[in-house]
Amino acid sequence: MLERLELRTALDQAVKEHQFVLHYQPIVDLETGVPLGFEALVRWNHPTRGMIAPGHFIEVAEESGLIVPMGRMVLQQALATAGRWQRSSAPGALRYMSVNVSARQFRTPASSRRCGRCCTPRASTCSTCRSTC
């Protein structure tokens, strides 16, 4: 119990200090070897423990509600990266960016409205998301 409470406190600090980073895993066409898109994978860059995989903190983030601001940061960062990559590559080269979104985020009315505004097939930048998140 004490360990979960300490994790909850550390997660709260991590959200405030933007300690989450994304790693991008390519999604590749197996026949051609051409990357079609990427999946954004969140990691917690803890100041003393280093990189922490989501299996060690997502459950507590869900229970505490911290998943909502954390998810907002992840979505903003992934969309900003996708926009940069689209602008610097050939048209149509980057087809999509996959981002895992918590069910709790979708139950938050403001989050689902935000996602609907900035996560459209034509969204190539994060400008809309940044201004409303």
Side-chain angles (χ1 to χ4, degrees), residues 20-27 38-45 51-54 57-58 70 74-75 77-78 85 97-100:
F20 299 98
V21 296
L22 294 182
H23 294 207
Y24 297 95
Q25 179 173 325
I27 300 169
F38 293 86
E39 180 178 10
L41 306 169
V42 67
R43 300 293 182 262
W44 177 6
N45 189 13
M51 288 296 175
I52 301 174
F57 63 87
I58 291 293
M70 185 177 79
V74 166
L75 189 57
Q77 188 176 343
W85 289 352
M97 174 76 71
S98 294
V99 179
N100 293 320

Side-chain angles (χ1 to χ4, degrees), residues 3-69:
E3 185 176 320
R4 278 181 93 73
L5 184 56
E6 289 172 352
L7 179 60
R8 165 61 171 91
T9 302
L11 268 174
D12 189 47
Q13 195 67 29
V15 168
K16 289 176 185 171
E17 295 178 3
H18 301 273
Q19 294 176 359
F20 299 98
V21 296
L22 294 182
H23 294 207
Y24 297 95
Q25 179 173 325
I27 300 169
V28 178
D29 182 315
L30 293 178
E31 290 183 19
T32 65
V34 174
L36 302 174
F38 293 86
E39 180 178 10
L41 306 169
V42 67
R43 300 293 182 262
W44 177 6
N45 189 13
H46 190 279
T48 59
R49 295 174 54 195
M51 288 296 175
I52 301 174
H56 296 287
F57 63 87
I58 291 293
E59 185 178 334
V60 173
E62 284 272 353
E63 290 170 1
S64 66
L66 288 169
I67 195 74
V68 175

